[in-house]
């Protein structure tokens, strides 16, 4: 089976509504999800959840591991429970096949090759303008600054950033929509992300929020929070 056919098979498996619900439950969680939790969130029985979760692992959309419940250790803690996380592998399928990622890679190489910096500046301006357009579309004519937070999260979610607040009150972005491209061209793509999100925050009038670069494993390089947090970090 070719990679294109494998990806198509994996993506089409989410046409099953039960598997789609379980995949969303696991994907939304910042920590691995057990069978009981997944079943409860999806509104189905545990045996059915276990069957479909394991099928999603078999397909490659999820990964499975084992861990003991929090606070339990030692000989009397019982057997570790099976838990599930979203797989890091990306799946993309198009009919007929398309090579949009290749086009993005070539464009990134061309921008980086421009020693004058004009192409990079134009890219960041375009990203900032796109973010500003997102913010203006999300805000109604009479929306106040208090509405900025849900609009911000909604716009970021719509474009695959998967925002979630951390324990310090900053907004982390669990997913980089351009992960493969960012791995090859980190400075360029992280700068583009920052410009896009800065444009979004500025258009929302959320002067109390500030995006900054704080690269980390398994998430977007941009963090959003109050101004003082950037200084503290």
């Amino acid at each position: 089976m070719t990679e294109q056919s494998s990806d198509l098979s994996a993506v089409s498996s989410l046409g099953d509504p039960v598997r789609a619900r379980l995949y969303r439950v696991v994907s939304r969680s910042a920590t691995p999800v057990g069978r009981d939790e997944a079943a409860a969130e999806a509104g189905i029985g545990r045996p059915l959840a276990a069957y479909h979760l394991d099928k999603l692992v078999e397909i490659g959309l999820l990964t499975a591991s084992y861990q003991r419940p929090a606070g339990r250790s030692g000989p009397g803690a019982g057997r570790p429970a099976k838990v599930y996380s979203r797989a890091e592998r990306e799946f993309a399928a198009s009919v007929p096949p398309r090579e949009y990622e290749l086009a993005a890679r070539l464009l990134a190489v061309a921008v980086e090759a421009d020693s004058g910096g004009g192409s990079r500046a134009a890219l960041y301006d375009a990203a900032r303008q796109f973010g500003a357009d997102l913010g203006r579309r999300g805000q109604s004519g009479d929306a106040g600054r208090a509405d900025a937070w849900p609009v911000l999260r909604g716009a970021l979610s719509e474009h695959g950033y998967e925002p979630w607040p951390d324990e310090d009150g900053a907004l982390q972005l669990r997913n980089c929509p351009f992960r493969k491209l960012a791995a090859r061209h980190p400075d360029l793509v992280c700068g583009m992300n920052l410009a896009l999100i800065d444009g979004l925050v500025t258009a929302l009038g959320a002067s109390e929020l500030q995006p900054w670069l704080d690269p980390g494993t398994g998430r977007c390089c941009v963090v959003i929070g109050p101004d003082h947090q950037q200084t503290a970090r």
Side-chain angles (χ1 to χ4, degrees), residues 72-213:
R72 291 188 175 186
S73 61
R79 297 176 60 185
K82 195 171 188 178
V83 294
Y84 301 85
S85 303
R86 183 173 61 186
E88 290 189 5
R89 181 191 163 191
E90 295 179 14
F91 294 82
S94 62
V95 181
R98 297 290 184 250
E99 282 281 5
Y100 299 116
E101 184 188 341
L102 175 59
R105 283 162 48 190
L106 294 174
L107 289 168
V109 169
V111 170
E112 289 179 333
D114 179 6
S115 58
S119 297
R120 185 182 295 254
L123 171 64
Y124 291 171
D125 285 346
R128 190 171 287 106
Q129 183 60 54
F130 182 83
D133 290 343
L134 283 181
R136 284 191 286 269
R137 287 205 304 268
Q139 288 278 51
S140 60
D142 58 352
R145 187 170 295 174
D147 294 320
W149 192 253
V151 173
L152 174 65
R153 294 188 64 171
L156 292 170
S157 296
E158 179 184 353
H159 289 278
Y161 285 97
E162 298 185 359
W164 61 280
D166 65 16
E167 62 275 7
D168 297 323
L171 197 64
Q172 302 274 355
L173 305 175
R174 289 185 57 232
N175 183 56
C176 175
F178 321 107
R179 186 176 70 89
K180 286 186 177 180
L181 196 62
R184 291 173 176 266
H185 310 276
D187 292 342
L188 182 69
V189 177
C190 288
M192 181 184 72
N193 268 324
L194 181 62
L196 189 156
I197 294 170
D198 180 66
L200 172 58
V201 170
T202 300
L204 291 175
S207 58
E208 72 278 10
L209 297 178
Q210 178 69 39
W212 67 87
L213 290 177

